[in-house]
Amino acid sequence: MRMIKTTRVFRPFSIGKTGNCRRFVSCRLPFLLLAAILSMSACDQTDSRQSAKIDDRDASIAELHNLGWLGADAQPLNATLTMPDPENPDASVTPGGIVIVKVLGGWPLDAAQLKAGDVIVRVADDWLPIKEDPTLDLIKAVEDQINAGRKEIEVGYYRDGKFAKALIQTELESLDHGLPRPVARMVDLSTATLKHLARLQTDDGSFAVAADNVDAKLIATSMSGLAFLSADPSASNEFEQSVAGCLKYIGEQLDRFASDSEAAGLDPLTASHVALFLSESDIQLMDEDWLERLGVVLDSFATHQHESGGWNVSELDYTDVDSDAEPSEPSVDILATFTTNQVLLALGVLERKGMTIDNAMIERAMTWLNEQSRLRVPSTVDRRVKALLSAGTAAALSALNCDRNDLLLKEHLAGALDRAHDVLTAPQLGLPGLVSIAIAARQAGNESWLQFHESVKHLAVSLPRPDGSVSDYPNVKRDPLDFELRVAGESWTTAHIGLLISMQSQSLEKLMAIETPDSMIVRDSTGKKSDGSAGMPVLKLDGANTADAEALKKMIMDQLKEQGMDVDESKLEIKTVEKTDDD
């Protein structure tokens, strides 16, 4: 291609967009024949065409480096790509892109002859949007083609200065086929992931973590064991040996804590993870050894409960350290709320297992959690945190057999589900937060689970590689919790991803609060025994002469706030009905 040097300057002007892909037409200059030139350059924030998009980007969005069953490692295109429009030689387009880093042999992208360095920019007729990470948009576009029944999916890519097309062959079924029952593709995904997890188990039954200490290993081993137990019944027998290894290691460590009077005792966050696994296992409470070991777990909860009612609670300093301002209002203690949610969830599943739980312990913790829910999330913390904390509280309340009509339970669940998509693409409490929102959605029934599935399905198929291993996730700009640093490692990541994918199988009956023993207490959101009026607070209103619906709504909202209930006013409806003789 012959380049013609000229001092004249021209800029393309926008005539419209396809999705988030910009489409331009070049000005035709007299006596100068312009060749269509494909150019790729680093983003320039001074470029008016780019600066608007850069300003809209969310810097916390995770960079996923896996294309799942397509068979490639990839990364987002951190550059501006402008190319001729294949359908209109006089126009150019500026799509988003995904750069192939490595192609796995024998999988769809390899069969379609794509290779490292190729930039995928289009699926069928849809250009990828310009955003920091359009990976999930690529996965969604491919899945939309599968949903439409197509067995050949056209992919457009940029290579060596040219736009080219390739066909991906697939016989896969829709991710939604069979809902709300387990989806076959998801079952296959979770089974492959759990098989990889089983290969990571060490000879003593534990799983390696970043911090080589018992607490960290117990947490990772418990979550791995829980993941194995979550497997679809059709594949559960494949992991019996792995579960037995987890039980062996955990049992030995709990025996050591029980026999060593000088030991510091089990950390409550560690104990909560152990309890989640043991509650779902087939151990029997009539087994004296396991009864004693579970006693170690309950002792940890009783011993470490803070006088405020929560766990891992520090005395908060509400002073703004970085300013000379007056002390600020109290804010949410994030780590303590997360830990307290985990402990209460553990207490709920242990009670479902048949353990006798001190209800006073639960009431103290719920009083503290309710106080926390009315505090603000610090401005320095990402907006997703509150949704994750709400999910943890909703999961704990459901496991503790809180009345499903309780207003606070409904509020926490709604807060979690409303931000499910944001949370899943850029979690701010890491993988444990993702599990919390999955548990809360599953406990709430099919409608909530379908809403959650809609948010998670494209993420789920992008994370596991064909061999069952998973990409590092989440990869967000945040300060991880201390315990996350201790338990970090391949087994920790793999266990959580396998658990998230396989939850649809409903194998975790205690954790999902599917079965409730007849003897179990029905509680309200304060932890107290419910009188059957949960979710229907008695409001004393002098509204006999109030005909105006808005005035009556204000009276109701004021009463609810006085009772500590933060209800979305838009969801409160006032209806006028005619009184009948039967009233």
Side-chain angles (χ1 to χ4, degrees), residues 268-269 272-273 276 301 309-313 332-349 365-366 368-370 372-373 385-400 412 416 429 432-433 436-437 439-440 443 511 525:
L269 193 54
S272 68
H273 285 82
L276 295 181
F301 297 151
W311 281 272
N312 281 15
V313 183
V332 175
D333 187 332
I334 294 168
L335 177 58
T337 301
F338 170 74
T339 304
T340 302
N341 281 337
Q342 290 293 106
V343 173
L344 285 173
L345 179 61
L347 290 172
V349 296
M366 286 310 307
W368 183 79
L369 270 183
N370 286 331
Q372 289 290 293
S373 68
V385 168
K386 193 163 188 177
L388 287 170
L389 296 181
S390 290
T393 302
L397 286 172
S398 294
L400 288 165
H412 283 302
L429 284 181
S436 292
I437 197 169
I439 291 172
Q443 289 172 338
L511 197 60
S525 53

Side-chain angles (χ1 to χ4, degrees), residues 14 158 263 276 281 316-317 331 341 385 444 467 495 509 522 571 580:
S14 172
Y158 164 71
L276 295 181
S281 70
L316 299 182
D317 180 5
S331 59
N341 281 337
V385 168
D467 66 354
E509 296 183 349
V522 179
K571 297 180 180 179
T580 65

Side-chain angles (χ1 to χ4, degrees), residues 317-320 326-334 371-381 386 389:
D317 180 5
Y318 299 129
T319 305
D320 291 327
E326 293 295 322
S328 61
E329 294 182 0
S331 59
V332 175
D333 187 332
I334 294 168
E371 292 172 354
Q372 289 290 293
S373 68
R374 289 192 287 272
L375 300 180
R376 66 178 180 85
V377 174
S379 58
T380 55
V381 176
K386 193 163 188 177
L389 296 181

Side-chain angles (χ1 to χ4, degrees), residues 383-415:
R383 65 186 182 276
R384 302 167 182 89
V385 168
K386 193 163 188 177
L388 287 170
L389 296 181
S390 290
T393 302
L397 286 172
S398 294
L400 288 165
N401 205 25
C402 180
D403 189 301
R404 297 301 173 94
N405 290 317
D406 188 279
L407 289 177
L408 279 178
L409 173 55
K410 286 186 172 182
E411 182 183 346
H412 283 302
L413 182 63

Side-chain angles (χ1 to χ4, degrees), residues 9-192:
V9 178
F10 76 96
R11 292 182 181 272
F13 58 91
S14 172
I15 62 168
K17 294 188 292 183
T18 300
N20 287 331
C21 171
R22 296 179 181 139
R23 190 179 296 270
F24 304 99
V25 170
S26 300
C27 300
R28 292 186 177 274
L29 300 181
F31 62 76
L32 180 62
L33 178 62
L34 294 177
I37 301 173
L38 185 64
S39 64
M40 185 163 61
S41 60
C43 290
D44 181 358
Q45 295 194 27
T46 62
D47 186 335
S48 63
R49 291 189 294 112
Q50 292 298 319
S51 60
K53 270 296 171 190
I54 289 173
D55 291 342
D56 291 339
R57 289 177 181 173
D58 185 345
S60 69
I61 294 296
E63 290 189 4
L64 308 178
H65 299 280
N66 191 6
L67 297 184
W69 65 270
L70 292 171
D73 290 340
Q75 65 184 30
L77 175 68
N78 293 317
T80 300
L81 177 60
T82 302
M83 55 184 288
D85 185 344
E87 280 74 43
N88 184 357
D90 294 332
S92 62
V93 291
T94 303
I98 297 293
V99 183
I100 302 297
V101 176
K102 178 183 178 182
V103 176
L104 306 181
W107 293 92
L109 290 180
D110 176 54
Q113 299 184 349
L114 270 76
K115 61 183 182 180
D118 291 346
V119 184
I120 299 177
V121 293
R122 192 166 83 170
V123 176
D125 296 327
D126 296 324
W127 296 97
L128 294 187
I130 299 174
K131 61 196 303 187
E132 184 159 332
D133 186 357
T135 305
L136 290 184
D137 299 275
L138 168 61
I139 298 294
K140 181 182 184 302
V142 171
E143 293 296 334
D144 286 345
Q145 294 295 304
I146 294 174
N147 289 342
R150 295 186 175 90
K151 302 303 181 183
E152 289 187 338
I153 302 171
E154 184 182 271
V155 172
Y157 62 96
Y158 164 71
R159 177 194 291 175
D160 299 331
K162 297 179 180 179
F163 175 76
K165 300 177 182 178
L167 288 178
I168 295 175
Q169 307 289 335
T170 178
E171 294 294 328
L172 295 175
E173 67 178 4
S174 167
L175 285 173
D176 297 330
H177 181 71
L179 286 174
R181 294 169 296 176
V183 180
R185 279 183 65 192
M186 300 289 256
V187 171
D188 291 342
L189 274 175
S190 66
T191 302

Side-chain angles (χ1 to χ4, degrees), residues 424-446:
L424 290 160
T425 52
Q428 288 296 310
L429 284 181
L431 293 167
L434 294 177
V435 169
S436 292
I437 197 169
I439 291 172
R442 202 67 181 108
Q443 289 172 338
N446 286 336

Side-chain angles (χ1 to χ4, degrees), residues 469-489:
S469 63
V470 298
S471 59
D472 291 335
Y473 176 80
N475 179 20
V476 277
K477 300 169 185 177
R478 67 181 183 91
D479 294 324
L481 299 177
D482 175 65
F483 95 94
E484 288 182 88
L485 296 176
R486 290 188 283 127
V487 300

